[in-house]
């Protein structure tokens, strides 16, 4: 009897210690490039779900740029990201391969596609029909750590026109400006700041609805319902793998496992919330670092070039 009581007491103390070790706060990183109020609004339901499921206070760490989330993951200030830019993940991986684990990749609910495209847009009433028509014009990029907003078009433009972003691709464009994000790129085209700019979209589904996922759908939902009538797509990149869902390896192992389980439960149990958070009708599919190797290699080459 005494042995049983001792065993029970030991188990209770162990449980108490484990509970005490579990973080009371969880930090969700949200990439910049989108209206801050909408960022918080789209992720409020995520906070509610995690608060209830894990008995934590989930903080929504939205950054004005992609670098903030990269540094947050590397500096142990962010614990998870539901919709990470592949290029930003590559930046994290190249600086610390053990910083995060890939939980999965978002997959389209309808056709099970696992990728999206960088696209160049112009105003619908402009004379520009193809990329070459933008010679001598003002161009907008999104963020240096964005895959569709810089990495992919940068690679394509270097091949097409030569040079680099620093010399406006051999002077092809009159100016190349980093606007700060996809929403800013689109608004820059609409208000005449840019003649053309890049953004991202699935290119799947109905054009007039802004396709199944991407920057168009977010803006149409916010305050631009007629957006697709105001723009025209004149170029698209090869397929880019959808962003990974990440969790920090800095979390205690037991708690990290619970966070991963909660992310998967959010997708299953409150799918409409998950859709809002990731920006499209998508669910979690299996993925590993290998799915992003091409992006990692491109980012490594870009970083070498930056160092000169």
């Amino acid at each position: 009897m005494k042995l049983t009581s001792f065993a029970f007491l030991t188990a209770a103390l162990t449980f108490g210690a484990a509970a005490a070790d579990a973080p009371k706060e969880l930090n969700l990183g949200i990439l910049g490039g989108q209206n801050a109020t909408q960022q918080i609004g789209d992720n409020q339901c995520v906070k509610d779900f995690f608060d209830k499921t894990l008995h934590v206070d989930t903080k929504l760490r939205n950054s004005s740029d992609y670098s903030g989330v990269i540094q947050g993951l590397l500096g142990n200030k962010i614990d998870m990201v539901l919709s990470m830019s592949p290029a930003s993940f590559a930046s994290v991986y190249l600086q610390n391969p053990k910083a995060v684990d890939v939980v999965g990749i978002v997959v389209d609910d309808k056709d099970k596609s696992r990728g999206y495209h960088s696209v160049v847009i112009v105003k619908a009433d402009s004379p520009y029909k193809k990329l070459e028509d933008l010679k001598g014009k003002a161009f907008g990029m999104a963020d240096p750590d964005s895959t569709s907003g810089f990495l992919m078009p940068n690679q394509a433009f270097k091949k097409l026109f030569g040079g680099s972003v620093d010399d406006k691709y051999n002077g092809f464009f009159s100016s190349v400006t980093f606007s700060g994000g996809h929403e800013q790129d689109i608004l820059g085209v609409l208000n005449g700041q840019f003649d053309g700019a890049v953004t991202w979209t699935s290119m799947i589904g109905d054009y007039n609805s802004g396709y199944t996922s991407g920057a168009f759908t977010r803006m149409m939902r916010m305050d631009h319902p007629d957006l697709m009538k105001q723009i025209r797509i004149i170029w698209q990149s090869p397929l880019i793998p959808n962003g990974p869902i990440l969790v920090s390896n800095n979390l205690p192992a037991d708690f990290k496992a619970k966070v991963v389980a909660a992310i998967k439960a959010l997708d299953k149990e409150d799918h409409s919330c998950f859709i809002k958070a990731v920006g499209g009708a998508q669910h979690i599919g299996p993925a590993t670092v290998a799915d992003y190797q091409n992006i990692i290699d491109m980012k490594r080459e870009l970083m070498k070039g930056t160092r000169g």
Side-chain angles (χ1 to χ4, degrees):
M1 184 69 178
K2 287 183 179 178
L3 185 62
T4 304
S5 298
F6 178 75
F8 177 79
L9 178 61
T10 303
L13 287 171
T14 303
F15 176 80
D21 289 343
K24 299 289 190 292
E25 189 175 287
L26 190 64
N27 297 287
L28 172 64
I30 306 170
L31 290 178
Q34 180 194 348
N35 177 278
T37 303
Q38 189 183 25
Q39 282 182 330
I40 298 298
D42 284 350
N43 286 275
Q44 184 62 44
C45 60
V46 179
K47 169 181 167 56
D48 295 342
F49 185 90
F50 277 87
D51 285 0
K52 181 179 178 182
T53 304
L54 297 176
H55 310 291
V56 293
D57 179 15
T58 304
K59 303 291 188 183
L60 303 180
R61 306 295 189 189
N62 60 313
S63 172
S64 60
D65 59 19
Y66 289 32
S67 178
V69 175
I70 292 169
Q71 297 309 317
L73 287 169
L74 290 169
N76 301 322
K77 303 295 185 186
I78 287 175
D79 302 313
M80 62 176 181
V81 183
L82 294 182
S83 184
M84 188 66 164
S85 154
S88 296
F89 165 60
S91 292
V92 172
Y93 183 83
L94 288 168
Q95 293 177 70
N96 182 359
K98 297 182 179 178
V100 297
D101 270 357
V102 175
V103 175
I105 184 173
V106 288
V107 179
D108 190 89
D109 282 349
K110 291 182 179 177
D111 73 353
K112 309 299 186 263
S113 64
R114 293 160 58 95
Y116 64 103
H117 297 270
S118 170
V119 294
V120 171
I121 62 166
V122 297
K123 286 186 76 171
D125 60 2
S126 75
Y128 316 121
K129 305 292 185 184
K130 58 187 185 298
L131 197 57
E132 290 72 16
D133 295 339
L134 291 176
K135 184 175 176 60
K137 306 301 179 183
F139 196 81
M141 295 285 197
D143 185 290
D145 290 300
S146 170
T147 318
S148 56
F150 177 60
L151 189 65
M152 291 297 277
N154 174 65
Q155 185 186 53
F157 295 174
K158 285 197 295 185
K159 288 180 180 177
L160 285 168
F161 311 126
S164 70
V165 67
D166 296 325
D167 65 9
K168 295 168 273 197
Y169 303 101
N170 256 343
F172 179 82
F173 299 109
S174 62
S175 64
V176 180
T177 305
F178 284 104
S179 69
H182 292 282
E183 181 182 331
Q184 292 93 319
D185 267 4
I186 296 169
L187 290 174
V189 168
L190 293 180
N191 66 28
Q193 179 186 0
F194 306 130
D195 296 294
V198 288
T199 188
W200 75 282
T201 176
S202 66
M203 296 296 286
I204 295 167
D206 179 37
Y207 172 87
N208 292 315
S209 300
Y211 296 113
T212 55
S213 62
F216 302 140
T217 55
R218 284 188 186 275
M219 285 193 65
M220 290 174 73
R221 192 155 41 84
M222 188 169 62
D223 55 6
H224 287 79
D226 295 324
L227 177 64
M228 303 311 286
K229 296 175 183 174
Q230 299 172 296
I231 61 165
R232 177 167 62 246
I233 295 170
I234 63 170
W235 175 86
Q236 73 177 63
S237 74
L239 194 68
I240 302 167
N242 283 338
I245 298 160
L246 304 176
V247 63
S248 171
N249 277 324
N250 187 56
L251 293 171
D254 288 351
F255 184 69
K256 178 184 152 192
K258 290 178 181 177
V259 171
V260 171
I263 291 171
K264 293 178 178 178
L266 173 66
D267 179 27
K268 299 287 187 186
E269 297 171 20
D270 194 348
H271 191 56
S272 60
C273 172
F274 185 80
I275 285 173
K276 282 182 70 177
V278 301
Q282 299 167 322
H283 60 276
I284 301 173
T288 66
V289 172
D291 291 287
Y292 299 96
Q293 194 58 55
N294 184 45
I295 301 294
I296 291 168
D297 292 342
M298 287 172 57
K299 189 71 177 183
R300 183 184 288 113
E301 286 302 309
L302 183 65
M303 290 168 75
K304 282 181 184 175
T306 302
R307 293 189 193 106

